[in-house]
């Protein structure tokens, strides 16, 4: 910033009074400063990095829940993260349609509660599958009956179990369902100005219409783990965090478990009658020639091709090739 002398100030005032210098010309020379608006009533408590970590964390939760529900209800159920944002609890409550179902839950040892909102277009097909149906939605959306709410509570326990698995890399929690509500306007769980992280999921149950799930996590619930919500901290531990003693311990414990190896020499088909009449000395014709490699499985994974032989008068196999890709038995 330039400092004017008294003579320069007097000359400038004289120029303004005589009209030689116009005020508009001086205003054009003033440097414009861009200010960013900030709403003190709605402060941002989550950084962009923390919101990205929440998205990565709950993308894993969405995959876990999709796989679990698909096997649990024996139907194709797809769940994906759509968005992660922060807003006030009042905005969240106002955005909830009616009818709906809210599951209030706690995550011990974390203090406070969270909310999961289920869309009827997600719940009704799930309930229909639970009772042996085809996963169809009703033609008109209605309130759930007491029996249907009890089913929702049972499903909620399973959903929270998968959420705890997704969170275990950051914090170990024991989730529990506190209550199931159907009218969000009758229960004020938090202050309307409380900042919450809202994770929105899109859902697809079989061939039914798409629905959604909203996971509402207030800042007081996540406050103890906010410092750990860093992608680098979670997925890329610093090399100095693992010393030589820890490496030796890991090598020791990794060396103890036994690995089951299975060699498949060939397969064949026999009738039940022939199987019951098998005797010692009978010969079975396999689907593999003598000069063909056999399959070596590690656990249930096909890993190697091998040839049969002997070593120190004991039966053995020699690895001849690594199987490209992994094939389940």
């Amino acid at each position: 910033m330039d400092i004017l002398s008294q003579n320069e100030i007097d000359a400038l005032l004289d120029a303004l009074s005589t009209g030689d210098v116009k005020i508009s010309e001086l205003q054009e020379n003033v440097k414009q400063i861009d200010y960013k608006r900030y709403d003190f009533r709605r402060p941002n408590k989550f950084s962009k990095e923390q919101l990205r970590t929440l998205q990565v964390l709950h993308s894993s939760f969405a995959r876990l829940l999709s796989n679990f529900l698909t096997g649990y209800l024996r139907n194709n159920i797809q769940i994906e993260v759509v968005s992660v944002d922060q807003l006030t609890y009042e905005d969240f409550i106002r955005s909830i349609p009616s009818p709906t179902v809210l599951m209030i839950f706690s995550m011990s040892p974390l203090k406070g509660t969270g909310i999961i909102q289920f869309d009827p277009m997600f719940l009704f097909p799930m309930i229909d599958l639970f009772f042996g149906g085809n996963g169809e939605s009703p033609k008109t959306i209605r309130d759930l009956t007491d029996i249907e709410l009890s089913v929702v509570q049972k499903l909620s326990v399973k959903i929270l179990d998968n959420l705890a698995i997704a969170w275990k890399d950051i914090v170990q929690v024991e989730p529990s369902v506190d209550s199931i509500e159907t009218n969000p306007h009758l229960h004020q769980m938090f202050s309307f100005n409380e900042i919450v992280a809202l994770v929105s999921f899109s859902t697809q149950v079989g061939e039914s219409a798409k629905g959604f799930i909203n996971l509402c996590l207030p800042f007081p619930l996540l406050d103890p783990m906010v410092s750990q919500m860093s992608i680098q901290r979670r997925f890329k531990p610093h090399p100095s965090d693992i010393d030589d003693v820890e490496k030796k311990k890991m090598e020791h414990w990794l060396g103890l478990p036994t690995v089951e190896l299975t060699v498949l020499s060939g397969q064949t088909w026999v009738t039940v009658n022939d199987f019951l009449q098998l005797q010692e000395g009978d010969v079975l014709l396999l689907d593999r020639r003598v000069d063909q490699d056999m399959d070596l499985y590690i656990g249930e994974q096909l890993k190697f091709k091998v040839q049969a032989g002997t070593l120190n008068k004991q039966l053995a196999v020699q690895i001849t090739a690594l199987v490209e890709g992994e094939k389940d038995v």
Side-chain angles (χ1 to χ4, degrees):
M1 178 183 293
D2 296 333
I3 300 177
L4 300 179
S5 64
Q6 186 61 45
N7 292 332
E8 291 174 333
I9 294 175
D10 294 338
L12 180 59
L13 293 175
D14 292 339
L16 289 174
S17 60
T18 59
D20 294 339
V21 178
K22 297 181 179 180
I23 297 178
S24 59
E25 295 178 357
L26 295 176
Q27 291 177 342
E28 292 177 356
N29 295 328
V30 177
K31 184 178 180 181
Q32 298 294 328
I33 302 177
D34 294 331
Y35 295 97
K36 183 178 179 181
R37 293 183 178 273
Y38 187 84
D39 190 349
F40 286 92
R41 294 174 300 178
R42 299 179 180 181
N44 293 330
K45 293 187 177 181
F46 298 99
S47 66
K48 292 183 178 180
E49 183 182 9
Q50 290 166 352
L51 292 178
R52 287 195 298 268
T53 303
L54 282 176
Q55 182 168 6
V56 173
L57 187 68
H58 291 94
S59 294
S60 175
F61 165 63
R63 289 191 296 270
L64 287 171
L65 188 58
S66 297
N67 295 334
F68 170 77
L69 293 177
T70 297
Y72 186 63
L73 297 176
R74 299 184 179 181
N75 200 298
N76 185 26
I77 299 174
Q78 299 295 327
I79 301 175
E80 297 179 352
V81 175
V82 175
S83 63
V84 179
D85 201 358
Q86 58 180 323
L87 67 162
T88 63
Y89 177 68
E90 181 181 12
D91 291 338
F92 168 66
I93 290 297
R94 288 182 176 179
S95 66
I96 296 177
S98 183
T100 190
V101 174
L102 300 179
M103 186 257 288
I104 316 299
F105 66 93
S106 56
M107 305 284 278
S108 178
L110 298 179
K111 296 181 180 180
T113 57
I115 301 174
I116 296 182
Q117 179 217 345
F118 298 109
D119 178 36
M121 297 306 297
F122 167 73
L123 280 183
F124 280 114
M126 296 283 291
I127 295 172
D128 188 55
L129 289 172
F130 192 87
F131 286 109
N134 297 322
E136 298 178 354
S137 300
K139 295 181 180 179
T140 58
I141 301 301
R142 56 172 175 78
D143 292 330
L144 273 69
T145 65
D146 291 341
I147 295 178
E148 290 171 338
L149 288 175
S150 65
V151 173
V152 172
Q153 184 164 5
K154 184 174 182 179
L155 289 173
S156 297
V157 174
K158 304 295 184 181
I159 292 174
L160 289 180
D161 289 342
N162 285 271
L163 182 62
I165 295 174
W167 281 24
K168 69 178 183 180
D169 290 340
I170 293 182
V171 60
Q172 295 283 348
V173 293
E174 296 181 2
S176 61
V177 178
D178 292 346
S179 63
I180 302 293
E181 308 293 344
T182 57
N183 191 336
H185 304 288
L186 293 180
H187 302 273
Q188 184 178 346
M189 303 300 301
F190 318 109
S191 170
F192 280 147
N193 294 327
E194 185 64 68
I195 299 299
V196 300
L198 183 64
V199 185
S200 298
F201 304 85
S202 65
T203 63
Q204 178 79 52
V205 181
E207 301 296 330
S208 62
K210 289 187 176 181
F212 63 87
I213 299 174
N214 283 328
L215 175 60
C216 175
L217 301 171
F219 183 80
L221 177 68
L222 298 179
D223 190 21
M225 53 186 285
V226 164
S227 60
Q228 302 181 37
M229 291 169 56
S230 169
I231 294 179
Q232 288 186 346
R233 181 182 178 91
R234 181 183 176 207
F235 298 103
K236 294 180 65 178
H238 197 274
S240 61
D241 295 339
I242 305 176
D243 55 18
D244 293 336
V245 176
E246 292 296 328
K247 288 182 180 179
K248 291 181 180 179
K249 289 181 179 179
M250 187 177 297
E251 292 173 355
H252 169 74
W253 289 110
L254 288 177
L256 292 180
T258 58
V259 179
E260 180 182 359
L261 303 180
T262 305
V263 177
L264 180 63
S265 58
Q267 301 182 78
T268 188
W269 293 91
V270 295
T271 63
V272 175
N273 186 41
D274 292 340
F275 176 75
L276 296 175
Q277 297 181 13
L278 285 177
Q279 298 179 4
E280 183 178 355
D282 290 345
V283 177
L284 295 176
L285 182 63
L286 303 181
D287 60 353
R288 189 167 304 185
R289 299 193 306 271
V290 176
D291 57 348
Q292 280 186 301
D293 289 340
M294 296 181 293
D295 297 330
L296 174 61
Y297 289 83
I298 298 180
E300 296 183 352
Q301 300 292 324
L302 174 59
K303 292 293 184 180
F304 302 101
K305 293 291 186 178
V306 297
Q307 281 285 344
T310 58
L311 179 63
N312 297 329
K313 297 182 180 181
Q314 293 184 341
L315 294 176
V317 293
Q318 182 180 19
I319 296 175
T320 59
L322 174 66
V323 177
E324 294 183 1
E326 297 181 356
K327 301 180 181 178
D328 295 335
V329 177

